[in-house]
Amino acid sequence: MDRDYAKPLDVPTMAARAFMSPAHFSREFKTAYGETPYAYLMTRRIERAMMLLRAGMSVTDACTAVGATSLGSFSSTFTEIVGETPSAYRARKHDDAEALPECFARVLTRPTRYV
């Protein structure tokens, strides 16, 4: 899921690959990762979008690059997880993250979703 975040992934397909029913796969995934497969995928997509927006990509291009199909849903999920709109995040300076070594910046800027 981390590698193929931009592809259209769904729970029944992932469950079939794991030889589980979709309901059992979702329960086991949530036990292991603390969130549902869809929530985990959206958090990873928002994480990649944050990186693209910091690099100067437009909100629409970042939305499509991470595999989101609806700009409105992408924006509302981004705002829910990050706490500001994608446009505001893109317009803000990110000098503090750029001053850190990349491995620390990746950990410290990683979005989290508390369910």
Side-chain angles (χ1 to χ4, degrees), residues 41-54:
L41 175 63
M42 287 308 295
T43 304
R44 299 290 71 85
R45 285 179 173 172
I46 297 302
E47 178 181 10
R48 279 16 176 241
M50 290 171 67
M51 182 185 71
L52 296 173
L53 292 172
R54 284 194 304 268

Side-chain angles (χ1 to χ4, degrees), residues 8 12 18 20 34 45 48 57 62-63 68 80 90-91 102 104 106 111:
M20 296 180 189
R45 285 179 173 172
R48 279 16 176 241
M57 185 177 276
C63 172
E80 174 189 326
R90 182 177 182 267
E102 186 176 329
F104 287 115
R106 188 176 307 146

Side-chain angles (χ1 to χ4, degrees), residues 64-88:
T64 56
V66 298
T69 56
S70 166
L71 183 59
S73 297
F74 169 78
S75 294
S76 63
T77 303
F78 189 98
T79 303
E80 174 189 326
I81 292 174
V82 178
E84 60 185 325
T85 65
S87 299

